[in-house]
């Protein structure tokens, strides 16, 4: 006798669990994907998944997907969430991070929550180790996390999905993973790149270089803003003027000096991924006898202390450091009360003018 269509789906999933292809806490394919695989309607797939859910084989998480039931997760969900919020951040000791984290912690403490801060160093393997420990310990802390190298595919997304399946509230800050349906609080990075470039265009510059970070989502979005500004002004995009760098190269700027010289050749201005990059670029230019802004106008992003302390004070697009930290804390508190809240927010940005840009008059 021919097996009914919904039974084909249920046995397919159960066989994969039995073989070890699917493990507890793993997310299964979407209803649409399963429908295409078997050539059946979504209603039939929904019926099959519903039966497996009733049997305790699967667990559905609203807004996230369907997961293989995890006995430990079921037990953990019966427990109340912790009054400690874990904050997973890339760095803490310099640049913009102390101001973000301080305001985040102060806001959490105002509502009676304590904070536990853990650092990934922007390393995928450290993020994996911390998330694995989080899961193994059955931790019930709500989680505010800064993604690691969010511009690249990340093998750690499955750990975030498992936490979601256990009912742990999660919020990203500064950036986000596009493969996860998790809210985020950040600045509007596209607008940041656009405003920085538009400012230079208003100053008469058309040959504008860009230095952007390739392994962070912020870098890609700021590059998109750069492209939008050039397009709106009718300026042709010249890829020879774009210098892509990564985390390791920012730490050791000497690696990219020659590449930068080639990319900046013939340019009158440059949009930098952030103030840290703009600061290093300024130093290298001055060491080579160049003048800022006469030989090259430079705009940074973040409006950090580095912008003010730069050898030539930087014009820079502001990062909402304290406001971002406070809002992230408020939104994780809202997610604790209402897990289905749509709390994503991207702060609008403004530019602060200093001495690193001059008006360019074409000869």
């Amino acid at each position: 006798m021919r097996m009914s269509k919904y039974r084909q789906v249920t046995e397919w999933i159960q066989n994969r669990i039995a073989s070890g292809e699917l493990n507890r806490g793993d997310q299964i394919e979407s209803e649409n994907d399963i429908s295409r695989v078997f050539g059946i309607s979504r209603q039939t797939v929904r019926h099959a998944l519903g039966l497996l859910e009733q049997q305790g084989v699967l667990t559905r998480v609203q807004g996230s997907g369907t997961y293989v039931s995890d006995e430990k997760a079921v037990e953990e969900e019966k427990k109340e969430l912790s009054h400690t919020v874990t904050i997973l951040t890339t760095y803490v000791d310099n640049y913009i991070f102390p101001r973000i984290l301080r305001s985040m912690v102060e806001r959490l403490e105002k509502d009676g929550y304590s904070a536990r801060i853990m650092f990934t160093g922007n390393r995928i393997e450290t993020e994996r180790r911390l998330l694995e420990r989080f899961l193994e310990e059955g931790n019930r802390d709500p989680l505010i996390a800064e993604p690691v190298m969010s511009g690249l595919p990340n093998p750690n997304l499955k750990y975030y999905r498992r936490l979601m399946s256990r009912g742990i509230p999660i919020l990203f800050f500064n950036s986000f993973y596009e493969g996860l349906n998790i809210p985020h609080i950040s600045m509007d990075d596209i607008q940041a790149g656009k405003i920085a470039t538009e400012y230079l265009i208003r100053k008469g510059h058309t040959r504008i270089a860009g230095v952007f970070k390739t392994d962070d989502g912020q870098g890609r979005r700021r590059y998109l803003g750069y492209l939008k500004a050039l397009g709106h002004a009718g300026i042709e995009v010249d890829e020879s003027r774009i210098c892509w760098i990564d985390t390791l190269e920012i730490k050791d700027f000497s690696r990219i000096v020659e590449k930068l010289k080639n990319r900046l050749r013939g340019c009158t201005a440059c949009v930098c991924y952030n103030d840290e990059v703009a600061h290093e670029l300024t130093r290298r230019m001055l060491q080579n006898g160049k003048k800022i802004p006469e030989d090259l106008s430079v705009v940074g992003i973040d409006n950090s202390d580095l912008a003010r302390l730069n050898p030539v004070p930087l014009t820079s697009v502001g990062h909402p450091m304290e406001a971002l930290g406070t809002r992230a804390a408020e939104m994780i508190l809202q997610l604790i009360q209402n897990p289905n809240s749509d709390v994503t927010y991207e702060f609008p940005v403004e530019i602060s003018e200093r001495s690193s840009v001059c008006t360019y008059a074409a000869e």
Side-chain angles (χ1 to χ4, degrees):
M1 188 174 71
R2 189 176 180 182
M3 186 183 299
S4 61
K5 292 180 178 178
Y6 79 86
R7 289 274 300 174
Q8 293 177 37
V9 176
T10 58
E11 292 209 359
W12 176 63
I13 293 172
Q14 288 173 319
N15 287 339
R16 293 167 70 203
I17 294 172
S19 69
E21 180 184 348
L22 288 174
N23 297 304
R24 293 182 299 178
D26 284 352
Q27 186 176 26
I28 69 167
E29 294 80 2
S30 68
E31 291 179 3
N32 281 334
D33 289 339
I34 297 173
S35 177
R36 282 193 292 270
V37 168
F38 287 91
I40 58 179
S41 68
R42 281 188 62 189
Q43 184 175 355
T44 301
V45 174
R46 195 175 295 119
H47 176 58
L49 300 184
L51 289 175
L52 291 175
E53 187 178 10
Q54 289 174 17
Q55 295 167 17
V57 176
L58 298 178
T59 301
R60 297 196 203 199
V61 178
Q62 186 173 347
S64 172
T66 303
Y67 299 81
V68 178
S69 291
D70 185 338
E71 293 174 6
K72 186 173 182 179
V74 172
E75 289 301 314
E76 293 298 338
E77 281 193 45
K78 296 176 183 178
K79 302 177 184 177
E80 291 187 4
L81 291 170
S82 166
H83 260 62
T84 297
V85 174
T86 291
I87 302 170
L88 209 59
T89 184
T90 53
Y91 306 108
V92 68
D93 56 349
N94 58 17
Y95 204 47
I96 63 174
F97 298 99
R99 292 165 67 179
I100 295 174
L101 296 173
R102 183 167 56 247
S103 60
M104 199 180 290
V105 171
E106 287 175 354
R107 182 63 185 84
L108 290 170
E109 289 178 344
K110 188 176 178 182
D111 266 46
Y113 283 79
S114 57
R116 178 175 67 157
I117 302 176
M118 307 172 79
F119 318 112
T120 64
N122 205 29
R123 297 176 62 86
I124 289 172
E125 56 267 36
T126 305
E127 180 187 46
R128 174 190 55 76
R129 178 172 50 79
L130 292 174
L131 291 173
E132 281 183 335
R133 190 171 82 189
F134 209 82
L135 285 160
E136 289 169 0
E137 293 175 351
N139 200 301
R140 297 294 292 166
D141 291 0
L143 178 64
I144 302 175
E146 182 184 17
V148 169
M149 296 189 185
S150 55
L152 301 176
N154 189 307
N156 296 332
L157 303 194
K158 61 185 178 182
Y159 299 111
Y160 286 103
R161 292 190 181 103
R162 289 180 184 175
L163 289 170
M164 292 167 68
S165 74
R166 294 187 180 188
I168 301 295
I170 305 174
L171 178 72
F172 289 133
F173 74 100
N174 271 344
S175 190
F176 56 91
Y177 293 124
E178 293 184 354
L180 293 175
N181 185 26
I182 291 176
H184 67 273
I185 306 295
S186 68
M187 67 188 294
D188 186 336
D189 288 296
I190 295 176
Q191 187 188 26
K194 186 170 181 285
I195 284 178
T197 310
E198 287 175 338
Y199 178 81
L200 291 170
I201 292 171
R202 288 197 304 273
K203 292 290 187 177
H205 298 274
T206 57
R207 289 175 285 142
I208 304 171
V211 183
F212 299 103
K213 199 158 181 274
T214 187
D215 53 1
D216 281 351
Q218 300 98 305
R220 294 173 180 268
R221 290 186 288 276
R222 290 170 190 180
Y223 172 64
L224 178 56
Y226 165 90
L227 294 181
K228 286 178 177 289
L230 293 182
H232 291 165
I235 301 172
E236 290 291 331
V237 176
D238 186 342
E239 281 298 313
S240 69
R241 296 171 180 163
I242 304 301
C243 185
W244 289 100
I245 60 177
D246 62 24
T247 299
L248 293 177
E249 288 169 326
I250 288 182
K251 289 181 178 179
D252 184 3
F253 212 76
S254 61
R255 298 185 184 195
I256 59 170
V257 171
E258 289 305 315
K259 180 167 66 172
L260 271 175
K261 286 181 181 177
N262 290 331
R263 298 296 187 174
L264 293 172
R265 187 172 289 117
C267 296
T268 64
C270 183
V271 175
C272 292
Y273 166 73
N274 63 9
D275 291 346
E276 186 176 10
V277 171
H279 175 71
E280 285 297 329
L281 176 59
T282 300
R283 287 182 58 243
R284 304 288 172 166
M285 292 288 292
L286 295 176
Q287 287 171 4
N288 283 281
K290 300 294 183 180
K291 296 180 180 178
I292 305 291
E294 291 85 354
D295 294 321
L296 186 75
S297 290
V298 178
V299 174
I301 295 177
D302 285 336
N303 199 25
S304 64
D305 290 339
L306 274 178
R308 290 176 284 277
L309 298 174
N310 199 51
V312 179
L314 278 171
T315 292
S316 182
V317 177
H319 188 295
M321 304 171 207
E322 287 86 357
L324 188 148
T326 298
R327 192 172 188 112
E330 290 172 348
M331 293 305 99
I332 197 68
L333 295 173
Q334 184 170 326
L335 286 172
I336 292 168
Q337 298 300 318
N338 183 3
N340 297 317
S341 298
D342 181 10
V343 300
T344 291
Y345 183 77
E346 296 186 354
F347 284 88
V349 293
E350 297 179 348
I351 195 163
S352 295
E353 299 182 62
R354 295 191 180 87
S355 310
S356 63
V357 175
C358 67
T359 301
Y360 179 76
E363 294 179 359

